[in-house]
Amino acid sequence: MDIKSILELKNKRKITMLTAYDYPIANLVDQAGIDIILVGDSLANVVLGLESTTQVGMPEMLHHTKAVTRAVKNALVVADMPFNSYQINPQDALKNAQRFIEEAQAQAVKLEWFPGCIAVTEQIIKSGIAVMGHIGLTPQTADKIGGFKVQGKDAQSAKNLIGQAKALEKLGCFALVLECLPDKISELITAQLKIPTIGIGAGIHCDGQVLVINDMLGLFDRYTPKFVKKYANLSPIILEAVNDFKNEVLKEKFPAPEHSFTIKEEEFKKIDER
Ligand code: KIV
């Protein structure tokens, strides 16, 4: 997948996007034919056990993006720019965006909307880096938008979101994440844009859908947002396997002969220490 093929999918078929943070999961997601893999800053919550996405920075995001791009052969890899890596000034934002492309081999970066977003996005796009926008519930600045709540529920805030979407399209973003919006507002935005919208908690009318992989696999149960559908429940499966291992070690059932190595008896006999 590349930017052009993602753009061409609008009005043809829905776009699929999932997060991944490491080599084995990225490999599976890619094998399944998912269009876009996002190395999301949700890494903070679902992998690193932190409270907020504002607690991960460039080192963590670069490290995990590198692991993902090592695995991926087909999907478009988008790296999420972490808090304070672009809400600074356009020049430093560009330098950080370049690191994701040059050092970590991502094909695009994602930026959440914030008041200075236009100048920063413009600078990054002008340098030739593909940008995915993100509007609605923007977790990095949730404290400034009333918390982790559905956005665009009154006419004025919905109009603001439509304005943000159009502005980001005009700047040259190749796609937009719409997070936690009433379905009718996402439908309006999706119909007015030429670029695809990818929804999370934004209803069926978006051009594509994204979920956090640990949520949809049942690997994160600290909290589950309403928009999450669990397609698998891996936690009990992993717990059972770990318990089986523990019990077999305690009962001396593991390792069995087929997991062990041998030495020829005549060699063994030559060892003085016996
Ligand atoms: O960090 C993330 O996982 C995201 C998705 C929720 C879109 O930004």
Side-chain angles (χ1 to χ4, degrees):
M1 294 309 267
D2 57 16
I3 303 295
K4 190 167 165 274
S5 44
I6 296 294
L7 285 164
E8 284 169 359
L9 288 177
K10 182 154 177 136
N11 299 323
K12 286 211 181 94
R13 70 152 167 84
K14 295 285 184 181
I15 297 167
T16 54
M17 170 159 134
L18 282 172
T19 66
Y21 316 95
D22 60 24
Y23 183 93
I25 297 289
N27 190 25
L28 291 172
V29 172
D30 195 40
Q31 269 183 50
I34 291 294
D35 299 314
I36 306 176
I37 297 183
L38 171 69
V39 189
D41 64 355
S42 47
L43 168 79
N45 312 109
V46 302
V47 174
L48 302 181
L50 297 165
E51 284 300 318
S52 162
T53 56
T54 60
Q55 292 170 281
V56 285
M58 288 295 293
E60 295 93 331
M61 291 305 298
L62 282 170
H63 179 79
H64 285 267
T65 304
K66 285 179 194 171
V68 167
T69 56
R70 260 175 232 133
V72 172
K73 294 192 173 68
N74 295 307
L76 185 93
V77 178
V78 180
D80 218 358
M81 291 195 65
F83 183 60
N84 269 344
S85 71
Y86 60 100
Q87 293 99 337
I88 25 171
N89 58 67
Q91 294 70 34
D92 287 331
L94 173 58
K95 278 188 203 146
N96 286 327
Q98 279 165 336
R99 294 190 69 191
F100 282 109
I101 308 297
E102 286 161 17
E103 290 173 38
Q105 308 290 304
Q107 285 140 295
V109 294
K110 178 168 83 59
L111 266 66
E112 292 182 10
W113 179 271
F114 72 103
C117 178
I118 296 290
V120 165
T121 307
E122 188 171 25
Q123 179 89 11
I124 298 175
I125 291 176
K126 266 192 184 161
S127 82
I129 295 176
V131 174
M132 174 180 272
H134 181 157
I135 63 168
L137 174 51
T138 45
Q140 292 177 7
T141 48
D143 54 332
K144 309 244 169 11
I145 56 167
F148 286 80
K149 290 191 180 132
V150 178
Q151 303 293 306
K153 285 191 84 161
D154 60 79
Q156 190 50 56
S157 62
K159 278 187 190 171
N160 291 345
L161 289 171
I162 296 167
Q164 292 171 10
K166 286 183 176 169
L168 290 173
E169 175 174 64
K170 203 167 161 208
L171 288 176
C173 284
F174 76 96
L176 283 191
V177 167
L178 307 183
E179 181 163 352
C180 285
L181 263 60
D183 53 357
K184 283 190 169 175
I185 304 305
S186 312
E187 186 177 15
L188 256 179
I189 294 174
T190 302
Q192 293 195 25
L193 299 186
K194 290 193 180 67
I195 57 170
T197 59
I198 317 282
I200 177 159
I204 192 74
H205 302 294
C206 299
D207 295 306
Q209 297 293 329
V210 56
L211 282 177
V212 168
I213 190 97
N214 294 52
D215 287 339
M216 59 89 78
L217 292 180
L219 275 176
F220 181 72
D221 50 17
R222 221 163 67 198
Y223 48 83
T224 307
K226 173 182 156 93
F227 55 73
V228 169
K229 177 169 175 182
K230 277 193 188 177
Y231 285 83
N233 196 12
L234 297 191
S235 293
I237 296 173
I238 293 174
L239 195 59
E240 194 184 329
V242 173
N243 267 320
D244 287 351
F245 166 77
K246 184 185 80 180
N247 291 332
E248 287 199 357
V249 171
L250 293 176
K251 289 181 187 155
E252 297 180 27
K253 282 188 172 170
F254 178 83
E258 65 266 32
H259 309 118
S260 306
F261 303 97
T262 53
I263 181 170
K264 284 194 180 117
E265 202 45 42
E266 71 256 31
E267 286 304 312
F268 191 57
K269 278 184 188 149
K270 289 184 208 160
I271 303 172
D272 294 340
E273 270 95 276
R274 291 186 67 221

